[in-house]
Amino acid sequence: MKKNAEPATREQRLEAFQPLSGMVVPRFAGISTFMRLPYLAPTQAPGEIDIALLGIPFDGATTNRPGARLGPRQVREASSLMRLVNYGTLVAPYDLCACADVGDVPVNPIDVQDTIRRIEAEVAYLHQGGVTPLSIGGDHIISYPILRALGSKGPLGMIHVDAHSDTGDTYFGGQKLTHGTPFRRAIEDGVLDPERVVQIGIRGTMYSADERQWALDQGIRIIDMEEVAEKGIPYAIAEARRVVGTEPTYFTFDIDSIDPAFAPGTGTPEIGGFTSREALQLVRGFRHLNLVGADVVEVSPPLDQTGGTALVGASIAFELLCLLAEARAERTAKETRLNVV
Amino acid sequence: MKKNAEPATREQRLEAFQPLSGMVVPRFAGISTFMRLPYLAPTQAPGEIDIALLGIPFDGATTNRPGARLGPRQVREASSLMRLVNYGTLVAPYDLCACADVGDVPVNPIDVQDTIRRIEAEVAYLHQGGVTPLSIGGDHIISYPILRALGSKGPLGMIHVDAHSDTGDTYFGGQKLTHGTPFRRAIEDGVLDPERVVQIGIRGTMYSADERQWALDQGIRIIDMEEVAEKGIPYAIAEARRVVGTEPTYFTFDIDSIDPAFAPGTGTPEIGGFTSREALQLVRGFRHLNLVGADVVEVSPPLDQTGGTALVGASIAFELLCLLAEARAERTAKETRLNVV
Amino acid sequence: MKKNAEPATREQRLEAFQPLSGMVVPRFAGISTFMRLPYLAPTQAPGEIDIALLGIPFDGATTNRPGARLGPRQVREASSLMRLVNYGTLVAPYDLCACADVGDVPVNPIDVQDTIRRIEAEVAYLHQGGVTPLSIGGDHIISYPILRALGSKGPLGMIHVDAHSDTGDTYFGGQKLTHGTPFRRAIEDGVLDPERVVQIGIRGTMYSADERQWALDQGIRIIDMEEVAEKGIPYAIAEARRVVGTEPTYFTFDIDSIDPAFAPGTGTPEIGGFTSREALQLVRGFRHLNLVGADVVEVSPPLDQTGGTALVGASIAFELLCLLAEARAERTAKETRLNVV
Amino acid sequence: MKKNAEPATREQRLEAFQPLSGMVVPRFAGISTFMRLPYLAPTQAPGEIDIALLGIPFDGATTNRPGARLGPRQVREASSLMRLVNYGTLVAPYDLCACADVGDVPVNPIDVQDTIRRIEAEVAYLHQGGVTPLSIGGDHIISYPILRALGSKGPLGMIHVDAHSDTGDTYFGGQKLTHGTPFRRAIEDGVLDPERVVQIGIRGTMYSADERQWALDQGIRIIDMEEVAEKGIPYAIAEARRVVGTEPTYFTFDIDSIDPAFAPGTGTPEIGGFTSREALQLVRGFRHLNLVGADVVEVSPPLDQTGGTALVGASIAFELLCLLAEARAERTAKETRLNVV
Amino acid sequence: MKKNAEPATREQRLEAFQPLSGMVVPRFAGISTFMRLPYLAPTQAPGEIDIALLGIPFDGATTNRPGARLGPRQVREASSLMRLVNYGTLVAPYDLCACADVGDVPVNPIDVQDTIRRIEAEVAYLHQGGVTPLSIGGDHIISYPILRALGSKGPLGMIHVDAHSDTGDTYFGGQKLTHGTPFRRAIEDGVLDPERVVQIGIRGTMYSADERQWALDQGIRIIDMEEVAEKGIPYAIAEARRVVGTEPTYFTFDIDSIDPAFAPGTGTPEIGGFTSREALQLVRGFRHLNLVGADVVEVSPPLDQTGGTALVGASIAFELLCLLAEARAERTAKETRLNVV
Amino acid sequence: MKKNAEPATREQRLEAFQPLSGMVVPRFAGISTFMRLPYLAPTQAPGEIDIALLGIPFDGATTNRPGARLGPRQVREASSLMRLVNYGTLVAPYDLCACADVGDVPVNPIDVQDTIRRIEAEVAYLHQGGVTPLSIGGDHIISYPILRALGSKGPLGMIHVDAHSDTGDTYFGGQKLTHGTPFRRAIEDGVLDPERVVQIGIRGTMYSADERQWALDQGIRIIDMEEVAEKGIPYAIAEARRVVGTEPTYFTFDIDSIDPAFAPGTGTPEIGGFTSREALQLVRGFRHLNLVGADVVEVSPPLDQTGGTALVGASIAFELLCLLAEARAERTAKETRLNVV
């Protein structure tokens, strides 16, 4: 965490950015950062770390029940239940990449446009500094400025796990920036390539029957929950991998994709969702992709009386961290090999 | 909702009885009726609407933990999360039938017999006026007077999704009207045809091993949870359709059929129940039957701290509404064709 | 609730707008309107009713924890515990004035300026139609457009019960419309007369020590909680009556004035507040003033796990209704006498 | 707890009926009886014990929100927080009287009349066996059969602490046995002397303004909450002692007399009630009266998410136990002295 | 429950130790013992009963969030929802064995070593008296002294259902007795045969990647959750039966094996666990083994706001009771046959 | 927070250690440290800061319900509601002293003696480095090692606000280190001067009537709750100031001194306690004493479902911080004057 006079080696950086171990300091103790990682100011991140965990505590684009602004803090709290190594995949992310908690983007809770500017600026700074962002929302609008920042050089692909398509146009008489519209806006801005977007888990009820048509018309592949239930998680994984391919891809995980029995703390729950076991299986299916960032959104602590949703959110965030760390380590290794050649 | 001087056309009625749209008025706003439908006094329902959503806030026949009297109000509240079109089946019930919330039956919380009379009278009035009832309980005794009202011309078949058979005889030394006995009473009264009754999801523990024998002796088909788990939901659907056939059939859905992880707010929970996804799949399997009414019972808000049970209840009620609307539209179309000939 | 061909008499109107009695229909039954009053569309209110209870489900100006957008619905639910007559004062508001629930203002949850316009328009319409508004928020910004509507002809006095002064200038780098700034804006707009404003119950911590100076400089009388505790509720009442005098006065009640033990469900709680008994005593001290409207704000249901805050909010709303009904009946009687002369 | 061949001495009985000590067995351990006292079947109580703690888990006469049937069990659970000696009065009840938990009356949750018979029979049996009952409800109807059992030889006086007068006549079209009517029924039956009844803490709202007139007409002394607040607890105590005098008196404590901030878990809460400190002071003011029994009613666990209401209920029950034990020891001592003479 | 002059026959004992029936006394009534069985002091158990249900309210070895010390009391409370006969297997345990609640081991909450001694002493006393223990924890350390008591004559096999292996060595700089280490200690003490130990459901995250190696090195068969998910419950059952064989076997069930959606009230939840239906299926797969005792551990009521975890715990305890009762009845029958021969 | 090459001036230090302002970064955002102060490793504290806020997450000495180990984290979370200046006293602590959050003492949750050693070592280190400790527990045992560290040069006086005297001797057969015994141990060790100890708020029930005698025999002044209620808070303040005088004094605040309506989240609640307003008044009465440290203990988050207890705890901690900062600034000013002379 300390600034060295000369650039730290990769080994020094990895050693400097280890979470507290629960074998030494009980997991209920200590300052509550993501995964009990060291805190690092975002301005210091470039050159120091590979992956930044950042909170984006904004829910001002929420059309229904609010509370996701309190998500980052509660996910931090729940994330102290995480240990160092993924039991399922044996990935040890902190041995692969230097990771830190860079705190929260200083949002403006009253003004969605101002906040979008602030998020885009911070993520762009990290991205240009070579730092991969793993963000915790916040409502789903936060993915829009992140995509703007990461996709500024060319449109990204996206794996989108959600109960809702979030490709609406306007609400309440012309409101264009809501948590139900981020991906239409990103496609309009040219930072998201709809033909490389896959949406998994869509279900529930619709405002009108042709609501999903716009998305399909853009070329988005929707694997709705009924299709997942019928064909299985491995099919969904294979199909999604086919859609996004090997080009730069973003991963956004809306907690309401998971059934409200497992993740009740969210503003727009829809029954019939993923179990947490299915969600783990699904996310673990996306190793070795070209992932450039990820987020977990819509955890709303006031609607989550037991903290269970935050635990699911933190667990999914850890899985995404494993994906990002492995993907980045593989890119680095590849670049190193190329450079050697 | 306004009374016209001359009979409204079907189109006018459909237009008059649309729920508020969440695209225009946020879903957390407005008076909390079922599905944010217009309110209509039950006395005005005949001739105006096709399907009445009514609350029956009575739990005075509950042998264990109470609270279902508060069910209608909380299900109304949760139902504002519903939109207009079923994502799974694409049924748009409000385009098929004129629907309204006709409020709550004015029950007597101290007296089960008085209450049964009141329920039967109101449902009979609606039924005779050509209005299909979709009721929200209340404990399971409420199905008994509804069956008496709907089955007065001839015994009905019934799809009964529940953790318990509810065909007991007496409790506490001779008590005959409890939420554990409605269907024995209905069979004794000749308003329910046991050979056209199917019970799905029965499980848990029993007072004695021959408890289910009475039901089997009457010819009831019990597909207990172990059989569902072994043979699958599609089998249960097919078997249930075979049992009830094409004659008039009632659909009663006890929320405790669903696992308490998904629907904890109920007085007599039994672990090992349906997931909400299975419940959706099950209910959606009963399209195109000759359904004459339905209910959702045993949602107990004081035992449902997160409101999740009410959300499940409201979602199931919406699915039942889709079944009823579609079935009724089909009957109407058929009658129209017959009349034309 | 029905539109008569010729204008209804006062007696007919009073009879038409009675709440459901809990002696006839149990208080947990029926559609959940404020006080179980009839619903009336706001457009129909002028000429029909004297006092409109309206919900304003907006919390988009909240600087801290959200949720007050869900306040109107939960206060409606809790208000079914109210009966018809005030035990403390024996005021029977529904015998004095025709009252109805006019539903919720159709707010825009994403846009504070748009919402302020919508609120101002609806309240101005009611006001011009001779209807006194009793509003349930929502966060405290909602008082600002109400004051604009009611004070358009001349600045109002105000009784302001709150833990916070809400006379800040800007937040987050220039944000002027927040729930911490409504009364500075209203004073700047000339719709509120600071020399006739009294603030009661202010306490907690401050961003800076001279924060309250602006308010004092305008001539606002602050009776902070320490002064109340020292001098007593009767003193506070007398002092407040002296400040507002006999001219038109608005009454705004922020639920966070009450101690969080009694009303935990609010976004910015401050310990050391009023007990509910003190709050009742305080409000009942303002009979026979020239009140032109009132509100209860900042009830945040997601932060109110037991519903106790909504019960306090509904009880205070009933007390305010008694004040408004009595004041209005007195004004009417006075005008009648004047007209007779 | 064991039956001895020959009658146990008072010392043996006192020794046999001591609660578990929290210095030896942690207070969270052991079977959950009232105060962690030994369990004794009610049939065995006469001759063995002086005071019986009994549960009456019935809420079938509740007109509003239910749940009090679950009260006895939760009060038992909370009562394990009690120790042996009253810090305020230094009364050590278990050194004065042999006390046991005699379990719950086997109520019939569906039938109020049947249940009333069962309660009356059991309490009459205890009473005739010389055992003083301290009952935990259940809704307030349970006081009616207790009064019938204890007042069969002559009408009793009563200290009644409550938010409501509970002297209504009928509900819902003729319903006479509700938790809002027990004391009118008891007066009609001649087991309660209205001129020796004092009601303390009445407040809230009323169905009609002359609702309290019937009670006043019978000669009941109502010290409503406003009078208590104005004149103080010591005044209320003195006035109540004057009313009940030295003749046999019953003490009924409705938990809703206490403010819902302190005791939210009750079906019909009214804000502005007693603090728990006032309640303790009030109850402790009734030492050395001729008390023949007592109850605590209307604790509704499903509405009491933190268990705080049960803790208040258990604490009040302990205070009542101290009153009963001291009163009984004094009567015994007096009788002994008279017998000696 | 009464001590007879001469030894009771098996039939008398079975009749004496029946739970209260919910058909006679409502299930919410009565003293809260396990399954509403009679209470019997542990010292009286030998000769009277076959199976003792005992609470072990200790969580002083918990490395993370506490609360399991409150488990026995809440599981007792939830167990009143159980009836007499297993719907799935038709086993009627109380017709097979005399069962009683023998209360809680008098633990020392501050001192893990003292508590371990106390547990071992009580279980050894029961075991030597021919009583099979079914224990409710408490944290997982309690299995260690139980194994010491039951395995003193020779190492036991064990079915271990859990999210964690609990075979760690030390925490916090040398702490050897924690809830993460009981089975390493038991193996070291020679009371557990690692080659007859099977662990089912292990998942989550690890402190280090070789954490599970020690267990594997001892010969423990780990069927982790991914293997269960892939191969199915029947496979897990068959494999586990193969491992433990026909020799004496203990069954320990950690509630955190179940997914936190179903059982949130536990100190170290891991998402992706068993559904309760899978858990029932799994436990029911172990009929007719040579089971000598069982426990359910880690139910933490303060973390279980709805009581759902306790219900799962009580349901699993009932299933284990069925296993134990059947196994014991079979052993007895076999011994009787052998003796006859 | 940055280490300067040469010693920072007092002004630089004050500027470096300011909390985040809620006017700039919303109070729900950012890493959750105490009061949103900068984090500083405890080893770096001497020379940098004047007052250290430290968490002591240990509840292993709790005799009843646990959970206080989770207190520091939840109090940190709640403390983000605090602003910079005390409204009541106008003290601005961060302008008087450099303050930081130094994280949690790395406790051993299984071993009370080991933990006591660790706490004593860290507090002694801070104390010797001139840093005043303000600690958040944790159960009340934590005050014992703090007193050992701060009183090593001579016994301290103590203001002790609590429902319990905590001067017991042993529990559970000889257990000497429990949260009911710290002050007997501290007196025995000579680090606490009983004649300069005042205990305020004691109430509830006792294990035996002479329990408080030991404390009185040592010369401790007990102002029990009944005395406070009778004579008032100002009397209690004056009397307490008389007892502790002008010598070095410690301030320990047990959250259970406050009524469970205001602070339910604690292991051993006693009804009839302080309101939060009384608590504020009481604490603010101890300005200008010679305070050398303070703590807030027994906040148990799992028992505090709304977070209200943590808010009270954080608010009291802020008041104690104001006391400590002012006292320390006065001592510094005095020393400076002496040095100048």
Side-chain angles (χ1 to χ4, degrees), chain D residues 10 29 33 56-58 60 62 70 120 132 140 154 156 231 251 265 270 309 319 322:
Chain D
R10 182 167 174 277
T33 55
I56 309 186
F58 182 75
T62 299
L70 301 166
E120 184 177 343
T132 302
H140 222 152
L156 301 171
K231 300 185 182 162
F251 199 136
E270 308 286 351
T309 310
E319 295 290 334
C322 290

Side-chain angles (χ1 to χ4, degrees), chain B residues 1 29 53 60 63 88 94 111 134 136 141 159 164 166 171 178 196 209-210 222 226 236 239 247 281 302 308 331 340:
Chain B
M1 217 179 340
L53 289 93
T63 62
Y94 314 110
D111 188 328
L134 172 51
I136 308 295
I141 195 68
I159 298 168
H164 312 96
D166 290 356
Y171 279 74
T178 81
R196 290 186 51 242
D210 42 38
I222 299 178
E226 295 223 328
E239 178 69 357
E247 295 303 299
Q281 186 187 1
R331 278 199 303 270
V340 168

Side-chain angles (χ1 to χ4, degrees), chain D residues 26-33 39 57 69-70 73 76-77 80 101 104 107 109, chain E residues 26-33 39 57 69-70 73 76-77 80 101 104 107 109:
Chain D
R27 289 188 281 161
F28 49 79
I31 304 293
S32 188
T33 55
Y39 167 77
R69 72 178 69 181
L70 301 166
R73 195 171 279 178
R76 278 190 180 93
E77 160 72 22
S80 67
D101 184 330
D104 286 351
V107 300
Chain E
R27 288 189 280 163
F28 49 80
I31 303 294
S32 189
T33 54
Y39 168 77
R69 69 176 72 178
L70 301 165
R73 194 171 280 180
R76 277 190 181 94
E77 160 72 22
S80 67
D101 183 331
D104 285 351
V107 301

